[in-house]
Amino acid sequence: MAGMSHTSFAQCPHAGNGVGSIPYPPGGPYQGVSFRVWAPHASAVSVKDPALERSVALVAQASTGYWCLDVPGVTVNQRYDYVITTPGFGTVTRRDPNGRMVTNARNGHSITYDPTAYVWHDQTFTPPPLNKLVIYEMDTGQFNAGPSGWGTFQSSISRLSEITGMGFNTVELLPVTQFAAIHGNPYGPTDQYAVDNDQYGGPDNLKAFVDACHQHGVAVILDVVHNHWGAFDIGAFDLDGWHTTSFPGGIYFYDSTVSSGDPYDSPWGPRPDYSYPIVKNYILGQIAMWFDEYHADGLRWDSVSNIYNAWGGGFGKDPHTGKPGVALPDGVSILKTVNTNWRQSFKIAEDLSFSKNQASDTLPVSSGGLGFDSQWNATLAYFIRKDFPSANPINLSDVVSGMTSTFNNDYLQTVAYVESHNELTTKNSRLYQLVDPQSPTSRTARKKATLAAGILFTSPEVPMIFQGDEFLDPSWLDNKTTLEWTNAQTWSGIVQLYGNLVTLRTNTAGTSPGLSDPDLNIYQQDKTNDVLVYDRYNKNAPGADEVIVVANLSGTVFNGSYEIGLPYGGTWQVLFNSDSTAYSSDFGNVGPQGPITAVKVPYAGQPYSATIPIGDYSVLVLSRQ
């Protein structure tokens, strides 16, 4: 490093308690960088410029296990490595586990970076409330191809108008921490403090993306992965060289012995040791970084069942003993700490263990829960993806089960979807492709896909779609195939349909307040004709803002002959008809052509009724005028 060879150094007053490479305080030209790393078994640590082969020794900070030095003359954007010597284990070269940027994960180097340099422009942004959250799940690498053939934060910015044009107010990013290889799996994090640099564009470009989202009125939820790290090229693996048969991962990872329940192994890679205070603080420091340095509006925690339990929250089994997994109370402590300290953020869990523990995920910490606001719930996706592709009639009871599956009797504790990245791990796995594998964009495939969207956005859970659902994109999570944006023009009507559903769900026009309300009453379940009629409302203010949804789950067209119950008299306006030819020229346009007048004839347990037309595989949304 520049200036390393001929200068005397103070120990590290500029670093304080910080860890990593820390530029001297701002206010003028960079004067140097402090380097501080935890290597408790080392007998010597130095920091080296890999290009110039210059290095300087760090100083041990008493018996803390930390090594530190202020190095004048070092600038930002300069490569470095730690060279660590540990008795009995030799000398190893490692990336900085706290480094904010690396060249790449495979044999890469750390890069000095100033986390305070980016100038933000989002001071006036306010996230939407949970009851109006509509989430667009995005994989940066596949969302919009950049000049190199894969997606970046900057190329994503250029497509933000596609998301905001539909009214989505929240983007949930698949993990953005550094991972191994171009087109690698972002769920295999290698460097927990470093934003992926060689594919996505690094930390400043992520900040620019978040900044642009906020300026467009869009919140950003980041996906964090602490149920495992890696599985390959992990920067913290055997960091100071020390490891044993019981601790093959070294200082950051759990014991792997069978007698301890083997918390080291997760289904995807080694699990960090939540019980060790320095590792716990390391994880909490990363969480603070997302909020403080990247202005994140919330976090989605990947597989929390593998954080509170070593094997799927009791759903999985220990591969050695065949018994239920081992509880990890220190993992629970981390989750509770995060959800307590950052209360104003969106706190979302992914827990697909289908165990009794799931209900406690979204209970308050004060009530013994983990304190999450909401959690992914695959029930609706499961039933729709099971039933809609079949040639048999759609099972009405299955759809009702998916719509009403929740936690602690609170619909907003569920994030519902038709498909997420979890469902798209094989080719041709989009819903419309499953419906008609031989002709995926056939009318039937499109009708059933838009029916599913109509059910999703009119249900009371927090709705989420995966990128490309809105224009029948064929991409899947192979980490290579980017979205085909020409489909957004080919199927512009389907894009419009999604946009109309989103604006209804968020009550943008002020005509559909019931869709943001907390309550659901599915009062007409016609198993003979396969039709659902349900009321979205607020039970604390009955009659104030009712929205009625009619969902025809059958291929039958009812030309003015279907009777529905209505809770109130007067005139009802048709806000949405998924069978409209505005969405596709081969749709039937079957539905009320004007307002509906309720008559005082009880039906389906309601005091009023009306007879209406409705198309095949269609959704109607009605509100009182």
Side-chain angles (χ1 to χ4, degrees):
M1 291 188 171
M4 275 191 170
S5 300
H6 308 292
T7 309
S8 298
F9 307 105
Q11 184 174 330
C12 45
H14 288 299
N17 292 321
V19 186
S21 60
I22 307 163
Y24 287 11
Y30 286 102
Q31 305 164 17
V33 172
S34 297
F35 294 91
R36 189 165 183 256
V37 64
W38 179 54
H41 299 94
S43 59
V45 178
S46 61
V47 60
K48 179 182 76 171
D49 183 322
L52 301 177
E53 292 296 327
R54 295 174 179 172
S55 63
V56 64
L58 274 60
V59 178
Q61 292 191 296
S63 58
T64 64
Y66 285 96
W67 297 75
C68 188
L69 196 73
D70 287 348
V71 185
V74 179
T75 61
V76 294
N77 296 320
Q78 191 165 346
R79 297 183 181 190
Y80 71 99
D81 296 313
Y82 290 125
V83 179
I84 304 172
T85 299
T86 297
F89 295 91
T91 298
V92 296
T93 300
R94 297 285 189 255
R95 294 192 301 274
D96 186 346
N98 291 84
R100 296 297 200 272
M101 186 162 57
V102 302
T103 57
N104 60 77
R106 293 189 170 174
N107 302 312
H109 309 284
S110 299
I111 304 173
T112 55
Y113 172 75
D114 184 354
T116 67
Y118 183 84
V119 179
W120 289 87
H121 311 86
D122 65 345
Q123 290 79 8
T124 61
F125 173 72
T126 301
L130 185 63
N131 70 313
K132 292 190 176 183
L133 212 63
V134 280
I135 302 174
Y136 189 95
E137 189 187 15
M138 179 192 297
D139 173 25
T140 302
Q142 296 185 247
F143 178 65
N144 186 34
S148 299
W150 53 78
T152 67
F153 298 126
Q154 285 295 334
S155 69
S156 297
I157 291 173
S158 68
R159 289 285 183 185
L160 275 181
S161 60
E162 308 280 353
I163 298 172
T164 59
M166 290 181 288
F168 282 92
N169 55 31
T170 306
V171 164
E172 182 178 305
L173 290 180
L174 267 63
V176 295
T177 44
Q178 188 70 42
F179 55 92
I182 302 298
H183 302 309
N185 180 4
Y187 283 95
T190 62
D191 299 75
Q192 286 291 346
Y193 280 70
V195 170
D196 187 84
N197 187 41
D198 52 332
Q199 178 167 317
Y200 291 172
D204 277 355
N205 284 314
L206 173 58
K207 291 175 182 178
F209 175 80
V210 176
D211 207 2
C213 284
H214 287 174
Q215 291 175 72
H216 283 81
V218 175
V220 178
I221 295 172
L222 297 179
D223 199 331
V224 296
V225 183
H226 290 296
N227 57 76
H228 75 285
W229 293 345
F232 306 106
D233 304 297
I234 307 169
F237 197 82
D238 288 349
L239 181 73
D240 61 4
W242 175 87
H243 61 279
T244 69
T245 302
S246 297
F247 289 89
I251 57 178
Y252 277 87
F253 297 93
Y254 267 116
D255 180 354
S256 67
T257 59
V258 174
S259 61
S260 69
D262 195 5
Y264 172 79
D265 279 323
S266 81
W268 310 282
R271 182 182 281 108
D273 187 349
Y274 313 129
S275 69
Y276 202 70
I278 290 180
V279 178
K280 176 180 179 179
N281 289 335
Y282 178 79
I283 293 173
L284 294 176
Q286 188 231 38
I287 301 306
M289 178 189 75
W290 294 131
F291 291 116
D292 298 343
E293 297 178 21
Y294 291 92
H295 292 200
D297 302 294
L299 301 176
R300 178 261 191 196
W301 286 74
D302 185 61
S303 190
V304 299
S305 62
N306 278 282
I307 295 176
Y308 64 68
N309 192 287
W311 286 94
F315 179 72
K317 295 182 182 296
D318 187 300
H320 305 291
T321 66
K323 295 180 180 179
V326 175
L328 301 173
D330 297 294
V332 171
S333 173
I334 289 174
L335 294 171
K336 288 183 175 181
T337 298
V338 171
N339 291 340
T340 300
N341 288 352
W342 287 279
R343 296 179 184 175
Q344 301 309 310
S345 62
F346 297 118
K347 304 177 291 294
I348 298 176
E350 183 210 32
D351 183 347
L352 302 180
S353 66
F354 301 101
S355 69
K356 61 182 181 181
N357 298 306
Q358 283 184 275
S360 66
D361 293 350
T362 41
L363 284 175
V365 171
S366 60
S367 300
L370 299 183
F372 286 99
D373 299 313
S374 193
Q375 58 179 305
W376 280 26
N377 188 333
T379 307
L380 181 64
Y382 171 77
F383 283 124
I384 284 179
R385 292 169 64 81
K386 176 178 77 73
D387 291 351
F388 281 39
S390 173
N392 299 322
I394 295 172
N395 188 313
L396 184 146
S397 297
D398 282 353
V399 174
V400 170
S401 295
M403 292 175 63
T404 56
S405 175
T406 188
F407 305 101
N408 305 308
N409 299 313
D410 184 344
Y411 285 112
L412 292 181
Q413 291 187 12
T414 280
V415 173
Y417 45 88
V418 172
E419 54 204 17
S420 70
H421 70 272
N422 287 332
E423 284 73 31
L424 302 179
T425 56
T426 57
K427 192 174 183 179
N428 299 322
S429 52
R430 299 270 187 171
L431 175 63
Y432 76 94
Q433 295 170 317
L434 299 177
V435 169
D436 193 343
Q438 301 305 314
S439 180
T441 59
S442 68
R443 183 183 184 277
T444 298
R446 286 180 279 117
K447 288 292 293 181
K448 285 189 174 182
T450 53
L451 168 64
I455 292 170
L456 173 67
F457 283 99
T458 58
S459 296
E461 302 94 343
V462 176
M464 181 183 77
I465 73 165
F466 188 74
Q467 60 185 25
D469 280 352
E470 72 276 19
F471 52 76
L472 308 179
D473 191 80
S475 64
W476 56 289
L477 207 70
D478 63 348
N479 305 310
K480 295 179 181 179
T481 308
T482 55
L483 270 64
E484 295 181 9
W485 282 98
T486 55
N487 286 351
Q489 284 73 52
T490 303
W491 305 111
S492 59
I494 307 299
V495 175
Q496 181 184 345
L497 179 145
Y498 270 80
N500 289 349
L501 285 170
V502 170
T503 54
L504 287 172
R505 178 66 175 78
T506 56
N507 192 31
T508 301
T511 59
S512 53
L515 292 183
S516 299
D517 279 341
D519 298 309
L520 168 69
N521 178 19
I522 306 177
Y523 58 78
Q524 189 168 334
Q525 299 186 37
D526 181 353
K527 294 185 178 181
T528 300
N529 292 299
D530 223 15
V531 177
L532 291 175
V533 185
Y534 47 97
D535 189 356
R536 290 296 318 284
Y537 69 109
N538 186 342
K539 65 184 178 183
N540 293 322
D545 53 10
E546 250 79 358
V547 169
I548 302 300
V549 182
V550 185
N552 180 8
L553 307 182
S554 77
T556 302
V557 176
F558 297 96
N559 287 302
S561 60
Y562 193 79
E563 189 171 10
I564 62 171
L566 290 168
Y568 299 98
T571 303
W572 292 79
Q573 177 186 4
V574 180
L575 300 179
F576 175 82
N577 177 7
S578 68
D579 196 43
S580 169
T581 52
Y583 303 134
S584 186
S585 60
D586 60 355
F587 286 5
N589 211 36
V590 176
Q593 300 304 304
I596 298 166
T597 301
V599 296
K600 185 66 174 174
V601 177
Y603 190 76
Q606 304 300 310
Y608 295 85
S609 62
T611 302
I612 62 169
I614 183 171
D616 58 317
Y617 302 121
S618 296
V619 171
L620 296 173
V621 178
L622 317 174
S623 71
R624 290 173 72 199
Q625 286 186 327

